[in-house]
Structure formats: C-alpha cells, structure tokens
Amino acid sequence: MQSFQWLLAGAYLVQPTEDGKLVFELPSIADAPSNACLFYDGNEHALLYRNEQNGIILDYINPEVRNTLQKSTTALIIELNTEDGEVKRSYPVAVKLVEKINVQFAKGEKDDKTD
C-alpha cells in the first residue's frame, strides 16, 4: 500500500465566478481524485485532499479571496495538463473550515511535532 503524500501546488490560480463561487486552477496529477475535499482555516494556506494517496498544499491564498473562501461551502477544482494547459479534469469539492493548518514543512522549516 502506498503511503499518503502532500504535494506543493506550485503555480495555481484562484478566481471567483459571477455567482460568488471560487474556481481553483492547478497542475494536474496522474491519478484521479476520490472524495476530494478542501480544508481551510481562514489564513494563507489551504489543503486539497484528493484521494487516499495524495493531497495538494495550496500555499499563499490571495488575501482578496480569503473571505470568500471562508464563507464557501463548495469550490470547483480544475486540473490542467502541464504540457498544453488543457483541462484534464474538473470536479467540485466541499470546503471544510478547520481551526489551524500547519504547513511549516512546505517551506522547509522543521515541524515541532516531528522527531
């Protein structure tokens, strides 16, 4: 059984739609999502749980969309093919608010809870 892995999204885009929903465009990953969910704590990071094998760290949520994301119950994820920018897949996700997201490891800092 493969262990779970968090991946850093790198370049991604967040855009609001006319009806106030948020659309996240990010590079695609080979395997398909299953029971995907977006976790957010109201600050500058979010975690996209894609499936039992991986999740994506969305580092630095733009301050202009944080309030909208915090009030959202769903968002749309669009995964783009990294070679040609075409849509590989899109899927809705539930947005779940959590108390705190610790992503120090994404920045290469030591996590106090390890060792």
Side-chain angles (χ1 to χ4, degrees):
M1 177 182 219
Q2 184 181 3
S3 63
F4 188 85
Q5 181 180 20
W6 285 107
L7 307 168
L8 188 59
Y12 70 93
L13 180 65
V14 183
Q15 298 183 87
T17 63
E18 289 180 9
D19 61 352
K21 302 272 186 193
L22 290 176
V23 176
F24 289 78
E25 294 181 7
L26 51 130
S28 67
I29 295 178
D31 59 342
S34 175
N35 298 317
C37 183
L38 186 67
F39 295 96
Y40 184 58
D41 66 359
N43 294 302
E44 58 183 59
H45 311 291
L47 301 175
L48 173 61
Y49 172 88
R50 290 186 74 251
N51 55 37
E52 292 180 353
Q53 285 78 41
N54 58 55
I56 299 174
I57 299 166
L58 300 170
D59 198 22
Y60 187 73
I61 301 292
N62 187 317
E64 293 180 18
V65 298
R66 290 179 190 171
N67 191 41
T68 302
L69 181 56
Q70 193 165 11
K71 294 176 183 177
S72 298
T73 57
T74 61
L76 180 65
I77 305 298
I78 298 176
E79 293 187 20
L80 304 173
N81 186 319
T82 55
E83 293 175 11
D84 60 14
E86 293 294 317
V87 174
K88 183 170 183 178
R89 66 177 65 91
S90 64
Y91 48 96
V93 294
V95 175
K96 299 198 183 228
L97 295 179
V98 295
E99 189 173 316
K100 181 172 171 48
I101 293 174
N102 183 353
V103 292
Q104 290 178 332
F105 62 92
K107 297 181 178 182
E109 299 172 9
K110 183 177 177 181
D111 185 343
D112 293 336
K113 297 179 183 171
T114 60
D115 278 349

